[in-house]
Amino acid sequence: MTEITAATGAPASLSRGTLIAAAGAVAVAQIGLSIPAVINGFINQDLGPSATQLTWISDAFLVPVTLLELSFGVVGDLFGRKRLLAVGAALMVVGGLIGFFTPSDGVGVLLTGQVIAGVGAAAIFPTSVAMLAAGTHTAKQRAHAISIWAAALTGAGFISPVLAGVLARIHHSGGEFSSWRYAFLAMAVLAAVSVAITLAAAQNSSAPQGRSLDWPGQITIAVSLFALLYAVIQGADDGWGSVTVVGGFVVFVVFMALFVAIERRVDRPLLRLELFSNRVFAVSAVVTVIGMFAYLGTAYATSIRLSAIQEYTPLKTSIGFFCLNVMGVVLFPVSTRMIERYSPGWVLAAGMAMIGIGDLVLSAIPATNLSIAAVAAPLLVIGAGFKLAVTSITVVAVNSVPTSKAGMASGATSMLRDGGLTLGPAVVAAIALTSAANAVRDKVASTPSLKSALNSFYAAPDHVPAAQRAGVEGAVAAVKSGPLGQNGVPAQVPGPDGKLMPFNPLKDVAFHALSHGYAIGYLMCGIAALVASLIAATMLGGRRHQDSFDEPDTVGVS
């Protein structure tokens, strides 16, 4: 049995079983996060969600991750991280099974499964890295362990799209588009394996000194961040000036102010705000949010471009995500040496710069270029940048605080990282869909023949046989739902004589509008990543490694 130090509840050394359990669990969590990327097109065709519902399907997983990570960091510190890691993986089993059994009209069922799986991932992300931090006691040991953790996270991001694409390709028993469900079954199986490994091989650790659950803080931060995400996501549908969207932004500001006031007054806060008086931690927090927003905004834009706009199959879409994620595996030994040899701030700046450059290239490639080769090179560059960035972000943040605060720092860093990741799809989708909807509306208003054809299409259910009416009504509803629905309904269908006849007059208009809208999304992500790179280079570039973590139980200022 591994020796546990009495003073801190931390292992004297990091066991191989703990390293495997932590890396395996975070891989499962990342698989859950990545699954929708290649199957959004099939989900769109099978369940018929609105554009904002499609965004929520991705963000329903990330919202609980963002809202609950701080509390789960405290729960692990108080009650033991091994048990919490196993519980998190078990929740992902449940969420995956719900996703697998989603009925054809079950958008709400799928969202429920995503939320439950996201709660499990919220437990896994901070707990896994805190377990590694508790068992490592020098900068070199910790950098090596966290690099393995990051390689598992990045490798899982590369495996997940390929796995989902292959499963969607080989399973056709439920219909042309229903095979996306097998990706969630695979997640459930892998999560069950993670539970078994954790219970059998991981060592426990905790840091209960000075820690307690801060319910007022948890409630106010949860309400604040959810209100922000709701306002951003619903803005494209409800209108940016609507009562619900403006109200969401107001609730965000009010409850964030309440959260800060509460955290300044309670004895044992959810987040010690003095962490942010540490310059290194504060700057890394800003870079984390901006950079991770850019990365997952890029991934989401790529998912929609390939699967929903260009209508690639999940297997072909997975090629794009293979390019996005494979460099994380290839660069594992390089990134480890770079973190150990150079300032993590410079490595972070380089990674963010690569993400930004790749995004700027993608923004210049229109969706009319249907070749996957056109986007392969910039996606490889972005993937390499993400590998460098995600490893160095964690090292910078955890190294900036004493070991006794590793759970708090890792929880805060994970929340900031996933807050940025959650905002990425939400903001990119809102801006891209708003741009596309405006472009389609303007085109219809300025083209009388198109407006006439659209009115005829809307009246089509009244002029078809009863046996075909439901299908035509579904197509009309999809076109009315917005640009993604307009692009998903074919422009021509077989007529009574077997020859193709005009059907959806907005197909081509919506395709070009979406191409331009998501190009704006890429451009926005590229600018954000370059800003993060500049901040990291100027404010973290000269930061040296700490040689030891045996510091007083206070947060110092660098």
Side-chain angles (χ1 to χ4, degrees):
M1 181 177 295
T2 303
E3 181 184 354
I4 304 293
T5 62
T8 64
S13 62
L14 182 67
S15 73
R16 181 176 297 178
T18 302
L19 183 59
I20 293 172
V26 82
V28 171
Q30 182 66 17
I31 286 172
L33 187 155
S34 304
I35 275 178
V38 301
I39 57 177
N40 272 322
F42 271 29
I43 292 174
N44 190 41
Q45 294 284 357
D46 186 36
L47 301 184
S50 68
T52 53
Q53 285 177 327
L54 195 62
T55 305
W56 276 115
I57 287 170
S58 293
D59 264 1
F61 183 96
L62 274 167
V63 166
V65 172
T66 304
L67 301 185
L68 299 176
E69 275 188 313
L70 282 176
S71 283
F72 277 128
V74 177
V75 170
D77 289 348
L78 285 172
F79 303 110
R81 295 161 184 146
K82 175 178 177 177
R83 184 184 299 123
L84 183 57
L85 197 70
V87 169
L91 287 172
M92 294 198 68
V93 174
V94 175
L97 291 176
I98 291 174
F100 177 67
F101 289 110
T102 297
S104 59
D105 58 348
V107 173
V109 174
L110 179 57
L111 288 173
T112 300
Q114 285 287 83
V115 169
I116 292 172
V119 173
I124 288 172
F125 280 122
T127 304
S128 59
V129 73
M131 290 172 74
L132 300 182
T136 52
H137 306 287
T138 68
K140 185 174 182 179
Q141 289 174 350
R142 188 168 291 175
H144 178 71
I146 290 177
S147 185
I148 292 174
W149 176 89
L153 183 147
T154 309
F158 138 67
I159 292 170
S160 178
V162 177
L163 179 66
V166 169
L167 290 172
R169 176 70 177 85
I170 64 178
H171 290 285
H172 298 283
S173 59
E176 182 181 359
F177 299 111
S178 64
S179 54
W180 57 266
R181 292 169 174 82
Y182 286 91
F184 289 98
L185 179 62
M187 181 188 79
V189 171
L190 292 172
V193 173
S194 175
V195 173
I197 292 173
T198 298
L199 294 177
Q203 59 196 157
N204 195 25
S205 64
S206 62
Q209 297 82 7
R211 303 289 272 148
S212 64
L213 286 171
D214 172 19
W215 289 110
Q218 174 62 81
I219 292 169
T220 50
I221 191 65
V223 171
S224 176
L225 294 180
F226 180 79
L228 173 63
L229 293 169
Y230 179 86
V232 170
I233 292 174
Q234 291 299 130
D237 259 8
D238 298 349
W240 295 103
S242 66
V243 173
T244 54
V245 171
V246 173
F249 286 120
V250 171
V251 170
F252 159 68
V253 173
V254 171
F255 275 81
M256 182 59 71
L258 287 174
F259 171 73
V260 172
I262 288 168
E263 298 305 279
R264 288 184 180 278
R265 287 168 171 78
V266 297
D267 292 333
R268 295 179 178 178
L270 184 67
L271 174 64
R272 291 192 181 278
L273 297 180
E274 60 263 32
L275 280 173
F276 294 93
S277 67
N278 181 318
R279 184 182 65 85
V280 175
F281 186 89
V283 173
S284 70
V286 173
V287 173
T288 296
V289 173
I290 298 174
M292 295 303 99
F293 158 81
Y295 175 74
L296 206 66
T298 300
Y300 184 75
T302 302
S303 168
I304 297 301
R305 173 190 169 118
L306 300 182
S307 68
I309 300 175
Q310 296 180 317
E311 298 181 335
Y312 284 7
T313 65
L315 186 58
K316 189 173 182 181
T317 300
S318 72
I319 297 173
F321 283 87
F322 174 90
C323 295
L324 188 62
N325 291 295
V326 70
M327 292 305 292
V329 178
V330 172
L331 290 179
F332 166 63
V334 176
S335 63
T336 302
R337 294 192 197 100
M338 289 181 70
I339 291 294
E340 293 176 356
R341 184 175 302 176
Y342 303 108
S343 161
W346 286 119
V347 179
L348 178 56
M352 291 299 178
M354 293 171 72
I355 294 173
I357 292 169
D359 272 319
L360 295 183
V361 174
L362 287 173
S363 71
I365 303 173
T368 50
N369 187 336
L370 298 176
S371 171
I372 190 68
V375 298
L379 289 175
L380 286 167
V381 172
I382 292 169
F386 176 69
K387 169 57 181 173
L388 297 179
V390 75
T391 306
S392 50
I393 279 173
T394 309
V395 171
V396 169
V398 174
N399 279 4
S400 68
V401 300
T403 301
S404 62
K405 292 292 184 289
M408 179 179 289
S410 65
T413 301
S414 294
M415 188 200 76
L416 292 164
R417 183 191 66 234
D418 292 307
L421 292 175
T422 306
L423 282 172
V427 174
V428 167
I431 291 176
L433 291 172
T434 298
S435 170
N438 290 339
V440 172
R441 185 189 64 241
D442 293 345
K443 184 69 174 179
V444 171
S446 64
T447 312
S449 60
L450 181 61
K451 187 174 183 178
S452 176
L454 184 61
N455 289 332
S456 298
F457 172 74
Y458 286 158
D462 298 331
H463 306 288
V464 298
Q468 301 174 9
R469 189 166 299 150
V472 175
E473 288 175 343
V476 170
V479 169
K480 289 183 176 180
S481 70
L484 285 174
Q486 293 156 5
N487 184 68
V489 176
Q492 295 179 311
V493 295
D497 57 358
K499 296 182 180 180
L500 291 176
M501 59 179 288
F503 187 55
N504 171 22
L506 293 183
K507 169 73 173 180
D508 187 64
V509 176
F511 178 88
H512 286 88
L514 288 167
S515 173
H516 177 70
Y518 281 91
I520 295 174
Y522 281 128
L523 179 63
M524 179 176 57
C525 291
I527 293 172
L530 292 175
V531 169
S533 175
L534 181 63
I535 294 172
T538 56
M539 302 188 72
L540 297 175
R543 172 74 175 175
R544 293 186 177 183
H545 280 298
Q546 290 174 308
D547 294 322
S548 173
F549 300 94
D550 297 327
E551 302 179 36
D553 191 23
T554 58
V555 179
V557 180
S558 296

